[in-house]
PDB file of all heavy atoms in Angstrom:
ATOM      1  N   ARG E 783       9.894  18.116  -1.300  1.00 96.00           N
ATOM      2  CA  ARG E 783      10.488  17.773   0.021  1.00 96.00           C
ATOM      3  C   ARG E 783      11.205  18.994   0.604  1.00 96.00           C
ATOM      4  O   ARG E 783      11.188  19.139   1.828  1.00 96.00           O
ATOM      5  CB  ARG E 783      11.540  16.680  -0.219  1.00 96.00           C
ATOM      6  CG  ARG E 783      10.929  15.291  -0.499  1.00 96.00           C
ATOM      7  CD  ARG E 783      10.146  14.726   0.694  1.00 96.00           C
ATOM      8  NE  ARG E 783      10.787  14.802   1.948  1.00 96.00           N
ATOM      9  CZ  ARG E 783      11.709  13.996   2.446  1.00 96.00           C
ATOM     10  NH1 ARG E 783      12.110  13.016   1.670  1.00 96.00           N
ATOM     11  NH2 ARG E 783      12.201  14.143   3.665  1.00 96.00           N
ATOM     12  N   TYR E 809      -0.090  19.570   9.339  1.00 96.00           N
ATOM     13  CA  TYR E 809       0.566  19.950  10.563  1.00 96.00           C
ATOM     14  C   TYR E 809       1.811  20.812  10.271  1.00 96.00           C
ATOM     15  O   TYR E 809       2.470  20.619   9.244  1.00 96.00           O
ATOM     16  CB  TYR E 809       1.057  18.770  11.366  1.00 96.00           C
ATOM     17  CG  TYR E 809      -0.002  17.995  12.154  1.00 96.00           C
ATOM     18  CD1 TYR E 809      -0.738  17.001  11.581  1.00 96.00           C
ATOM     19  CD2 TYR E 809      -0.229  18.293  13.508  1.00 96.00           C
ATOM     20  CE1 TYR E 809      -1.698  16.316  12.306  1.00 96.00           C
ATOM     21  CE2 TYR E 809      -1.167  17.599  14.263  1.00 96.00           C
ATOM     22  CZ  TYR E 809      -1.912  16.629  13.648  1.00 96.00           C
ATOM     23  OH  TYR E 809      -2.863  15.907  14.351  1.00 96.00           O
ATOM     24  N   GLN E 811       5.493  21.813  11.808  1.00 94.00           N
ATOM     25  CA  GLN E 811       6.401  21.431  12.841  1.00 94.00           C
ATOM     26  C   GLN E 811       7.614  22.352  12.743  1.00 94.00           C
ATOM     27  O   GLN E 811       8.495  22.234  11.869  1.00 94.00           O
ATOM     28  CB  GLN E 811       6.853  19.981  12.650  1.00 94.00           C
ATOM     29  CG  GLN E 811       7.788  19.501  13.740  1.00 94.00           C
ATOM     30  CD  GLN E 811       8.235  18.019  13.598  1.00 94.00           C
ATOM     31  OE1 GLN E 811       8.127  17.482  12.531  1.00 94.00           O
ATOM     32  NE2 GLN E 811       8.657  17.435  14.671  1.00 94.00           N
ATOM     33  N   GLY E 816       6.818  20.053  18.715  1.00 91.00           N
ATOM     34  CA  GLY E 816       5.967  19.044  18.211  1.00 91.00           C
ATOM     35  C   GLY E 816       5.063  19.515  17.115  1.00 91.00           C
ATOM     36  O   GLY E 816       4.928  20.748  16.939  1.00 91.00           O
ATOM     37  N   GLN E 822      -7.760  20.429   9.246  1.00 91.00           N
ATOM     38  CA  GLN E 822      -8.243  19.079   9.051  1.00 91.00           C
ATOM     39  C   GLN E 822      -9.401  19.024   8.089  1.00 91.00           C
ATOM     40  O   GLN E 822     -10.357  19.832   8.214  1.00 91.00           O
ATOM     41  CB  GLN E 822      -8.656  18.523  10.473  1.00 91.00           C
ATOM     42  CG  GLN E 822      -9.202  17.124  10.392  1.00 91.00           C
ATOM     43  CD  GLN E 822      -9.762  16.645  11.723  1.00 91.00           C
ATOM     44  OE1 GLN E 822      -9.611  17.292  12.726  1.00 91.00           O
ATOM     45  NE2 GLN E 822     -10.491  15.502  11.709  1.00 91.00           N
ATOM     46  N   PHE E 872     -12.794   9.308  10.748  1.00 62.00           N
ATOM     47  CA  PHE E 872     -13.000  10.697  11.139  1.00 62.00           C
ATOM     48  C   PHE E 872     -13.019  10.792  12.623  1.00 62.00           C
ATOM     49  O   PHE E 872     -12.312  11.641  13.216  1.00 62.00           O
ATOM     50  CB  PHE E 872     -14.334  11.175  10.554  1.00 62.00           C
ATOM     51  CG  PHE E 872     -14.811  12.473  11.170  1.00 62.00           C
ATOM     52  CD1 PHE E 872     -13.959  13.574  11.161  1.00 62.00           C
ATOM     53  CD2 PHE E 872     -16.052  12.625  11.651  1.00 62.00           C
ATOM     54  CE1 PHE E 872     -14.377  14.786  11.711  1.00 62.00           C
ATOM     55  CE2 PHE E 872     -16.499  13.818  12.179  1.00 62.00           C
ATOM     56  CZ  PHE E 872     -15.631  14.923  12.190  1.00 62.00           C
ATOM     57  N   GLN E 873     -13.757   9.984  13.328  1.00 59.00           N
ATOM     58  CA  GLN E 873     -13.835  10.059  14.767  1.00 59.00           C
ATOM     59  C   GLN E 873     -12.729   9.199  15.366  1.00 59.00           C
ATOM     60  O   GLN E 873     -12.889   8.042  15.656  1.00 59.00           O
ATOM     61  CB  GLN E 873     -15.176   9.649  15.244  1.00 59.00           C
ATOM     62  CG  GLN E 873     -16.255  10.554  14.682  1.00 59.00           C
ATOM     63  CD  GLN E 873     -17.687  10.047  14.985  1.00 59.00           C
ATOM     64  OE1 GLN E 873     -17.883   8.806  15.056  1.00 59.00           O
ATOM     65  NE2 GLN E 873     -18.636  10.923  15.092  1.00 59.00           N
ATOM     66  N   LEU E 874     -11.562   9.741  15.615  1.00 54.00           N
ATOM     67  CA  LEU E 874     -10.401   9.001  16.017  1.00 54.00           C
ATOM     68  C   LEU E 874     -10.669   8.223  17.323  1.00 54.00           C
ATOM     69  O   LEU E 874     -10.306   7.054  17.480  1.00 54.00           O
ATOM     70  CB  LEU E 874      -9.213   9.884  16.173  1.00 54.00           C
ATOM     71  CG  LEU E 874      -8.676  10.525  14.927  1.00 54.00           C
ATOM     72  CD1 LEU E 874      -7.462  11.418  15.260  1.00 54.00           C
ATOM     73  CD2 LEU E 874      -8.249   9.474  13.923  1.00 54.00           C
ATOM     74  N   ALA E 875     -11.335   8.924  18.272  1.00 48.00           N
ATOM     75  CA  ALA E 875     -11.436   8.379  19.611  1.00 48.00           C
ATOM     76  C   ALA E 875     -12.622   7.404  19.654  1.00 48.00           C
ATOM     77  O   ALA E 875     -12.770   6.692  20.618  1.00 48.00           O
ATOM     78  CB  ALA E 875     -11.631   9.478  20.569  1.00 48.00           C
ATOM     79  N   ALA E 879      -9.392   4.226  18.623  1.00 58.00           N
ATOM     80  CA  ALA E 879      -8.074   4.923  18.659  1.00 58.00           C
ATOM     81  C   ALA E 879      -7.394   4.869  17.279  1.00 58.00           C
ATOM     82  O   ALA E 879      -6.296   4.252  17.153  1.00 58.00           O
ATOM     83  CB  ALA E 879      -7.164   4.340  19.716  1.00 58.00           C
ATOM     84  N   GLU E 881      -5.133   5.761  14.287  1.00 82.00           N
ATOM     85  CA  GLU E 881      -3.786   6.449  14.220  1.00 82.00           C
ATOM     86  C   GLU E 881      -3.766   7.285  12.960  1.00 82.00           C
ATOM     87  O   GLU E 881      -4.547   7.171  12.025  1.00 82.00           O
ATOM     88  CB  GLU E 881      -2.709   5.406  14.195  1.00 82.00           C
ATOM     89  CG  GLU E 881      -2.713   4.551  12.912  1.00 82.00           C
ATOM     90  CD  GLU E 881      -1.624   3.521  12.941  1.00 82.00           C
ATOM     91  OE1 GLU E 881      -0.495   3.802  12.431  1.00 82.00           O
ATOM     92  OE2 GLU E 881      -1.840   2.409  13.413  1.00 82.00           O
ATOM     93  N   LEU E 882      -2.771   8.204  12.905  1.00 88.00           N
ATOM     94  CA  LEU E 882      -2.537   9.016  11.741  1.00 88.00           C
ATOM     95  C   LEU E 882      -1.326   8.407  11.017  1.00 88.00           C
ATOM     96  O   LEU E 882      -0.412   7.923  11.629  1.00 88.00           O
ATOM     97  CB  LEU E 882      -2.236  10.451  12.149  1.00 88.00           C
ATOM     98  CG  LEU E 882      -3.314  11.221  12.926  1.00 88.00           C
ATOM     99  CD1 LEU E 882      -2.948  12.632  13.098  1.00 88.00           C
ATOM    100  CD2 LEU E 882      -4.630  11.037  12.256  1.00 88.00           C
ATOM    101  N   PHE E 884       1.638   9.450   8.435  1.00 94.00           N
ATOM    102  CA  PHE E 884       2.269  10.694   8.011  1.00 94.00           C
ATOM    103  C   PHE E 884       3.063  10.537   6.760  1.00 94.00           C
ATOM    104  O   PHE E 884       3.732   9.485   6.518  1.00 94.00           O
ATOM    105  CB  PHE E 884       3.251  11.198   9.133  1.00 94.00           C
ATOM    106  CG  PHE E 884       2.537  11.830  10.298  1.00 94.00           C
ATOM    107  CD1 PHE E 884       2.014  11.044  11.288  1.00 94.00           C
ATOM    108  CD2 PHE E 884       2.371  13.204  10.310  1.00 94.00           C
ATOM    109  CE1 PHE E 884       1.314  11.660  12.385  1.00 94.00           C
ATOM    110  CE2 PHE E 884       1.717  13.776  11.366  1.00 94.00           C
ATOM    111  CZ  PHE E 884       1.184  13.019  12.402  1.00 94.00           C
ATOM    112  N   GLY E 885       3.190  11.606   5.969  1.00 95.00           N
ATOM    113  CA  GLY E 885       4.115  11.725   4.896  1.00 95.00           C
ATOM    114  C   GLY E 885       5.499  12.126   5.435  1.00 95.00           C
ATOM    115  O   GLY E 885       5.662  12.377   6.606  1.00 95.00           O
ATOM    116  N   GLU E 886       6.479  12.251   4.526  1.00 94.00           N
ATOM    117  CA  GLU E 886       7.814  12.603   4.963  1.00 94.00           C
ATOM    118  C   GLU E 886       7.970  14.099   5.201  1.00 94.00           C
ATOM    119  O   GLU E 886       9.004  14.493   5.768  1.00 94.00           O
ATOM    120  CB  GLU E 886       8.832  12.119   3.919  1.00 94.00           C
ATOM    121  CG  GLU E 886       8.887  10.604   3.806  1.00 94.00           C
ATOM    122  CD  GLU E 886      10.017  10.153   2.895  1.00 94.00           C
ATOM    123  OE1 GLU E 886      10.123  10.690   1.777  1.00 94.00           O
ATOM    124  OE2 GLU E 886      10.818   9.274   3.290  1.00 94.00           O
TER     125      GLU E 886
ATOM    126  N   TYR G 907      -6.932   8.279  24.538  1.00 87.00           N
ATOM    127  CA  TYR G 907      -6.192   7.374  23.667  1.00 87.00           C
ATOM    128  C   TYR G 907      -4.779   8.033  23.560  1.00 87.00           C
ATOM    129  O   TYR G 907      -4.684   9.181  23.171  1.00 87.00           O
ATOM    130  CB  TYR G 907      -6.821   7.238  22.355  1.00 87.00           C
ATOM    131  CG  TYR G 907      -8.125   6.463  22.422  1.00 87.00           C
ATOM    132  CD1 TYR G 907      -9.359   7.122  22.267  1.00 87.00           C
ATOM    133  CD2 TYR G 907      -8.121   5.068  22.611  1.00 87.00           C
ATOM    134  CE1 TYR G 907     -10.585   6.426  22.318  1.00 87.00           C
ATOM    135  CE2 TYR G 907      -9.324   4.381  22.647  1.00 87.00           C
ATOM    136  CZ  TYR G 907     -10.512   5.026  22.563  1.00 87.00           C
ATOM    137  OH  TYR G 907     -11.694   4.319  22.612  1.00 87.00           O
ATOM    138  N   TYR G 911       4.998   8.222  18.879  1.00 96.00           N
ATOM    139  CA  TYR G 911       5.525   8.243  17.507  1.00 96.00           C
ATOM    140  C   TYR G 911       7.041   8.465  17.556  1.00 96.00           C
ATOM    141  O   TYR G 911       7.538   9.159  18.405  1.00 96.00           O
ATOM    142  CB  TYR G 911       4.878   9.351  16.696  1.00 96.00           C
ATOM    143  CG  TYR G 911       3.472   9.098  16.195  1.00 96.00           C
ATOM    144  CD1 TYR G 911       2.387   9.293  17.032  1.00 96.00           C
ATOM    145  CD2 TYR G 911       3.246   8.585  14.909  1.00 96.00           C
ATOM    146  CE1 TYR G 911       1.074   9.065  16.564  1.00 96.00           C
ATOM    147  CE2 TYR G 911       1.960   8.359  14.435  1.00 96.00           C
ATOM    148  CZ  TYR G 911       0.883   8.571  15.284  1.00 96.00           C
ATOM    149  OH  TYR G 911      -0.410   8.340  14.821  1.00 96.00           O
ATOM    150  N   GLN G 913      10.324   9.838  15.035  1.00 94.00           N
ATOM    151  CA  GLN G 913      10.669  10.575  13.822  1.00 94.00           C
ATOM    152  C   GLN G 913      12.219  10.503  13.644  1.00 94.00           C
ATOM    153  O   GLN G 913      12.955  11.053  14.446  1.00 94.00           O
ATOM    154  CB  GLN G 913      10.241  11.997  13.923  1.00 94.00           C
ATOM    155  CG  GLN G 913      10.412  12.807  12.661  1.00 94.00           C
ATOM    156  CD  GLN G 913       9.902  14.218  12.743  1.00 94.00           C
ATOM    157  OE1 GLN G 913       9.937  14.879  13.785  1.00 94.00           O
ATOM    158  NE2 GLN G 913       9.336  14.719  11.657  1.00 94.00           N
ATOM    159  N   ASN G 916      14.744  13.861   8.811  1.00 82.00           N
ATOM    160  CA  ASN G 916      14.223  14.052   7.448  1.00 82.00           C
ATOM    161  C   ASN G 916      13.122  13.100   7.094  1.00 82.00           C
ATOM    162  O   ASN G 916      12.930  12.851   5.881  1.00 82.00           O
ATOM    163  CB  ASN G 916      15.323  14.095   6.424  1.00 82.00           C
ATOM    164  CG  ASN G 916      16.315  15.162   6.706  1.00 82.00           C
ATOM    165  OD1 ASN G 916      15.966  16.324   6.974  1.00 82.00           O
ATOM    166  ND2 ASN G 916      17.597  14.823   6.606  1.00 82.00           N
ATOM    167  N   GLY G 918       8.981  11.522   8.152  1.00 89.00           N
ATOM    168  CA  GLY G 918       7.698  11.761   8.824  1.00 89.00           C
ATOM    169  C   GLY G 918       7.640  10.954  10.112  1.00 89.00           C
ATOM    170  O   GLY G 918       8.587  10.293  10.516  1.00 89.00           O
ATOM    171  N   LEU G 919       6.524  11.074  10.805  1.00 93.00           N
ATOM    172  CA  LEU G 919       6.321  10.368  12.034  1.00 93.00           C
ATOM    173  C   LEU G 919       5.840   8.963  11.798  1.00 93.00           C
ATOM    174  O   LEU G 919       4.945   8.718  10.936  1.00 93.00           O
ATOM    175  CB  LEU G 919       5.340  11.145  12.942  1.00 93.00           C
ATOM    176  CG  LEU G 919       5.865  12.291  13.748  1.00 93.00           C
ATOM    177  CD1 LEU G 919       6.189  13.444  12.853  1.00 93.00           C
ATOM    178  CD2 LEU G 919       4.837  12.716  14.774  1.00 93.00           C
ATOM    179  N   LEU G 921       4.285   5.439  13.816  1.00 93.00           N
ATOM    180  CA  LEU G 921       3.706   4.974  15.025  1.00 93.00           C
ATOM    181  C   LEU G 921       4.551   3.880  15.703  1.00 93.00           C
ATOM    182  O   LEU G 921       4.906   2.889  15.055  1.00 93.00           O
ATOM    183  CB  LEU G 921       2.294   4.419  14.766  1.00 93.00           C
ATOM    184  CG  LEU G 921       1.511   3.950  15.996  1.00 93.00           C
ATOM    185  CD1 LEU G 921       1.139   5.128  16.908  1.00 93.00           C
ATOM    186  CD2 LEU G 921       0.274   3.173  15.604  1.00 93.00           C
ATOM    187  N   LYS G 924       0.324   2.315  20.647  1.00 90.00           N
ATOM    188  CA  LYS G 924      -0.849   3.114  21.086  1.00 90.00           C
ATOM    189  C   LYS G 924      -1.584   2.442  22.202  1.00 90.00           C
ATOM    190  O   LYS G 924      -1.615   1.201  22.293  1.00 90.00           O
ATOM    191  CB  LYS G 924      -1.779   3.365  19.919  1.00 90.00           C
ATOM    192  CG  LYS G 924      -2.430   2.140  19.324  1.00 90.00           C
ATOM    193  CD  LYS G 924      -3.302   2.491  18.119  1.00 90.00           C
ATOM    194  CE  LYS G 924      -3.984   1.294  17.497  1.00 90.00           C
ATOM    195  NZ  LYS G 924      -4.741   1.645  16.278  1.00 90.00           N
ATOM    196  N   THR G 926      -5.188   1.876  23.971  1.00 81.00           N
ATOM    197  CA  THR G 926      -6.615   1.979  23.607  1.00 81.00           C
ATOM    198  C   THR G 926      -7.521   1.526  24.734  1.00 81.00           C
ATOM    199  O   THR G 926      -8.673   1.251  24.519  1.00 81.00           O
ATOM    200  CB  THR G 926      -6.905   1.127  22.392  1.00 81.00           C
ATOM    201  OG1 THR G 926      -6.659  -0.254  22.704  1.00 81.00           O
ATOM    202  CG2 THR G 926      -6.054   1.529  21.221  1.00 81.00           C
ATOM    203  N   PHE G 965       7.802  11.415  20.019  1.00 97.00           N
ATOM    204  CA  PHE G 965       6.677  12.313  20.373  1.00 97.00           C
ATOM    205  C   PHE G 965       5.566  11.473  21.031  1.00 97.00           C
ATOM    206  O   PHE G 965       5.138  10.406  20.519  1.00 97.00           O
ATOM    207  CB  PHE G 965       6.128  12.961  19.128  1.00 97.00           C
ATOM    208  CG  PHE G 965       7.013  13.929  18.456  1.00 97.00           C
ATOM    209  CD1 PHE G 965       7.876  13.523  17.410  1.00 97.00           C
ATOM    210  CD2 PHE G 965       7.094  15.252  18.897  1.00 97.00           C
ATOM    211  CE1 PHE G 965       8.746  14.472  16.856  1.00 97.00           C
ATOM    212  CE2 PHE G 965       7.987  16.143  18.286  1.00 97.00           C
ATOM    213  CZ  PHE G 965       8.806  15.731  17.290  1.00 97.00           C
ATOM    214  N   SER G 969      -5.107  11.543  21.603  1.00 83.00           N
ATOM    215  CA  SER G 969      -6.189  11.686  20.587  1.00 83.00           C
ATOM    216  C   SER G 969      -7.477  12.114  21.243  1.00 83.00           C
ATOM    217  O   SER G 969      -7.928  11.568  22.248  1.00 83.00           O
ATOM    218  CB  SER G 969      -6.425  10.348  19.902  1.00 83.00           C
ATOM    219  OG  SER G 969      -7.508  10.363  19.016  1.00 83.00           O
ATOM    220  N   GLY G 970      -8.004  13.178  20.649  1.00 72.00           N
ATOM    221  CA  GLY G 970      -9.304  13.639  21.139  1.00 72.00           C
ATOM    222  C   GLY G 970     -10.413  13.056  20.216  1.00 72.00           C
ATOM    223  O   GLY G 970     -10.190  12.031  19.634  1.00 72.00           O
ATOM    224  N   TYR G 971     -11.559  13.751  20.231  1.00 68.00           N
ATOM    225  CA  TYR G 971     -12.689  13.233  19.474  1.00 68.00           C
ATOM    226  C   TYR G 971     -12.313  13.065  18.013  1.00 68.00           C
ATOM    227  O   TYR G 971     -12.607  12.032  17.369  1.00 68.00           O
ATOM    228  CB  TYR G 971     -13.839  14.199  19.619  1.00 68.00           C
ATOM    229  CG  TYR G 971     -15.094  13.750  18.893  1.00 68.00           C
ATOM    230  CD1 TYR G 971     -15.834  12.713  19.372  1.00 68.00           C
ATOM    231  CD2 TYR G 971     -15.520  14.391  17.755  1.00 68.00           C
ATOM    232  CE1 TYR G 971     -16.981  12.264  18.697  1.00 68.00           C
ATOM    233  CE2 TYR G 971     -16.658  13.974  17.092  1.00 68.00           C
ATOM    234  CZ  TYR G 971     -17.374  12.927  17.546  1.00 68.00           C
ATOM    235  OH  TYR G 971     -18.531  12.483  16.904  1.00 68.00           O
ATOM    236  N   ASN G 972     -11.702  14.078  17.432  1.00 67.00           N
ATOM    237  CA  ASN G 972     -11.308  13.999  16.017  1.00 67.00           C
ATOM    238  C   ASN G 972     -10.033  14.685  15.717  1.00 67.00           C
ATOM    239  O   ASN G 972      -9.798  15.060  14.534  1.00 67.00           O
ATOM    240  CB  ASN G 972     -12.471  14.554  15.150  1.00 67.00           C
ATOM    241  CG  ASN G 972     -12.735  16.007  15.395  1.00 67.00           C
ATOM    242  OD1 ASN G 972     -12.011  16.630  16.132  1.00 67.00           O
ATOM    243  ND2 ASN G 972     -13.762  16.479  14.864  1.00 67.00           N
ATOM    244  N   MET G 974      -5.540  15.047  16.997  1.00 83.00           N
ATOM    245  CA  MET G 974      -4.423  14.526  17.754  1.00 83.00           C
ATOM    246  C   MET G 974      -3.514  15.612  18.104  1.00 83.00           C
ATOM    247  O   MET G 974      -3.063  16.370  17.269  1.00 83.00           O
ATOM    248  CB  MET G 974      -3.720  13.406  16.936  1.00 83.00           C
ATOM    249  CG  MET G 974      -2.674  12.634  17.735  1.00 83.00           C
ATOM    250  SD  MET G 974      -2.041  11.244  16.839  1.00 83.00           S
ATOM    251  CE  MET G 974      -3.421  10.160  16.769  1.00 83.00           C
ATOM    252  N   GLY G 977       3.114  16.229  21.971  1.00 95.00           N
ATOM    253  CA  GLY G 977       4.071  16.917  22.920  1.00 95.00           C
ATOM    254  C   GLY G 977       5.169  17.575  22.116  1.00 95.00           C
ATOM    255  O   GLY G 977       5.261  17.457  20.865  1.00 95.00           O
TER     256      GLY G 977
END
Side-chain angles (χ1 to χ4, degrees):
Chain E
R783 288 294 313 279
Y809 282 85
Q811 186 180 17
Q822 177 187 350
F872 168 51
Q873 297 172 331
L874 295 179
E881 66 180 271
L882 301 187
F884 284 85
E886 293 187 311
Chain G
Y907 291 106
Y911 282 84
Q913 186 178 35
N916 299 315
L919 279 69
L921 182 69
K924 63 182 180 182
T926 63
F965 294 94
S969 175
Y971 182 72
N972 60 9
M974 188 172 292

